[in-house]
Amino acid sequence: MGTRHASADGLASVGHSVLRSALATNILWIGALKFKQYEVENDEPLVTSSPLFSRFREKLGAQKLNRLIGITELTVGSLIAAKPLAPRASALGSFGAVGMFLTTLSFLATTPEVRQEKQGILSLSLLGQFVLKDTVLLGAALLTAADSLRAARHR
């Protein structure tokens, strides 16, 4: 019985490491892409349909807004990856990611292009599927936040 428990604990530990690395890598990669022009264009339907982001876009312009988002994502991803050195900072990064993913999930309600035209509310377009994956990343961010808080408490 003890061997099974140890195996499950080892598997959970590996799973947490993979999850943290994958979350940080995804956020860092996507953040780096925000500096590319095609990504500015890809984000336009999301940004212009959002009550919050459309205001920022008016003030900053599309390219500067995307760069600001990119800098935010690069910061958040770096903080998440910093758990071995700075678990409290890593928890902060994970909570930042929670906020990011809740924000992007709001695009499901504000962006008409996330649904297939004339197919009903549950028929997501490719853009909608891209946004919906943030539900999984939201769960990952919550788990990495809890893991980082545990590590900070044990220091």
Side-chain angles (χ1 to χ4, degrees):
M1 194 75 133
T3 304
R4 285 187 193 158
H5 184 68
S7 296
D9 288 346
L11 186 59
S13 178
V14 170
H16 276 282
S17 294
V18 169
L19 187 68
R20 176 176 303 283
S21 298
L23 180 62
T25 300
N26 273 267
I27 293 172
L28 288 166
W29 197 330
I30 291 168
L33 290 175
K34 296 296 183 204
F35 296 86
K36 300 265 189 191
Q37 183 57 36
Y38 77 86
E39 188 64 14
V40 174
E41 294 164 12
N42 288 342
D43 288 347
E44 273 298 287
L46 300 169
V47 169
T48 57
S49 298
S50 166
L52 175 65
F53 282 94
S54 63
R55 289 189 187 112
F56 286 128
R57 189 193 177 288
E58 284 176 22
K59 292 207 182 291
L60 299 173
Q63 192 171 46
K64 283 184 183 174
L65 176 58
N66 256 48
R67 287 181 177 167
L68 179 61
I69 293 167
I71 289 166
T72 302
E73 290 175 334
L74 291 169
T75 302
V76 165
S78 297
L79 287 170
I80 291 169
K83 183 200 165 210
L85 303 173
R88 279 190 175 84
S90 183
L92 184 63
S94 292
F95 285 122
V98 167
M100 274 180 11
F101 298 130
L102 288 173
T103 300
T104 57
L105 286 168
S106 75
F107 296 150
L108 289 171
T110 61
T111 309
E113 292 90 344
V114 299
R115 290 174 285 292
Q116 289 289 349
E117 195 171 322
K118 299 179 184 171
Q119 297 297 315
I121 195 165
L122 298 178
S123 299
L124 295 175
S125 66
L126 191 56
L127 181 61
Q129 293 170 41
F130 171 76
V131 172
L132 185 64
K133 61 95 177 89
D134 281 2
T135 57
V136 176
L137 295 173
L138 173 62
L142 290 166
L143 288 173
T144 59
D147 184 50
S148 294
L149 290 174
R150 264 189 239 105
R153 188 177 47 220
H154 287 92
R155 274 194 160 196

